[in-house]
Amino acid sequence: MLWVGRIAPVIRLELLLDVARRLPSMTFQVAGMPYAGEAYSEQMLRQARATPNVEVLGAVPRERMDELYREAAVLCCTSHIEGFPNTFIEAWSWGVPVVSTVDPGGVIQRETLGLHATSAETIAQGIERLCGDATRWLTASRNGRAYFRTHHQLDAALARFEKIFTGLATERCP
């Protein structure tokens, strides 16, 4: 399982650590940048390093992130609040389902891109449901790749931008 984010209270690494303790047979990788000198970050990193099935990777260089996504079974998001996380797009580009406490615009549930969860218990259950059912995992994986290709791959995104810019230019130049 992969968790990617800044180590800050709003991102709630403690929730992931609770999930990891509930699923001791699974390995959780934590990729994130702590805020130097911030008590929360330091405390969470100490707890993460003390949790046997958690591997703390620290700040991971951009060029290494694809490797992490490629090897992940699930991307976990424990944030209290998010917009539309780039980590979701990156995970779906590799066919990695997302189990998340936030579901921007309901896209995870609507498109079957993983599972929406609200607590450590439901995150753990979601991970178990995905990882314990090959058909469910494969469906979410395929849907994630298709969603990425349709909405976020360069050609699809450029076509949407072109339409917006053309519309703006037309409004200014009758």
Side-chain angles (χ1 to χ4, degrees):
M1 305 313 114
L2 178 63
W3 183 95
V4 178
R6 60 191 165 91
I7 300 173
V10 71
I11 311 299
R12 303 188 304 184
L13 180 55
E14 71 275 6
L15 192 56
L16 181 82
L17 299 178
D18 189 356
V19 172
R21 286 188 285 273
R22 292 168 187 264
L23 301 172
S25 66
M26 295 183 178
T27 300
F28 291 79
Q29 293 184 310
V30 173
M33 176 71 115
Y35 290 120
E38 184 180 286
Y40 174 85
S41 295
E42 293 170 8
Q43 178 185 7
M44 288 300 102
L45 286 172
R46 272 194 306 276
Q47 287 181 26
R49 288 183 181 110
T51 306
N53 59 330
V54 173
E55 180 183 359
V56 177
L57 305 174
V60 175
R62 178 82 227 131
E63 62 272 7
R64 211 177 133 231
M65 288 304 300
D66 285 347
E67 175 188 335
L68 294 179
Y69 286 115
R70 189 174 48 249
E71 294 174 358
V74 171
L75 174 71
C76 299
C77 173
T78 54
S79 294
H80 175 64
I81 189 167
E82 284 282 352
F84 198 104
N86 286 334
T87 56
F88 289 13
I89 297 166
E90 292 166 354
W92 293 329
S93 77
W94 287 100
V96 177
V98 173
V99 175
S100 175
T101 53
V102 294
D103 186 358
V107 70
I108 293 172
Q109 292 186 120
R110 183 178 63 252
E111 303 290 333
T112 316
L113 306 172
L115 296 166
H116 179 237
T118 57
S119 65
E121 180 179 352
T122 58
I123 294 168
Q125 290 169 350
I127 291 169
E128 286 180 314
R129 283 175 56 197
L130 278 169
C131 293
D133 182 339
T135 301
R136 182 185 300 257
W137 186 91
L138 192 55
T139 297
S141 174
R142 286 180 177 156
N143 290 350
R145 289 190 53 77
Y147 182 83
F148 169 78
R149 282 192 307 272
T150 302
H151 298 282
H152 298 285
Q153 201 163 28
L154 188 57
D155 290 343
L158 286 177
R160 284 197 313 278
F161 282 129
E162 181 180 27
K163 185 177 178 180
I164 291 167
F165 293 142
T166 301
L168 290 171
T170 304
E171 288 176 11
R172 291 178 185 235
C173 301

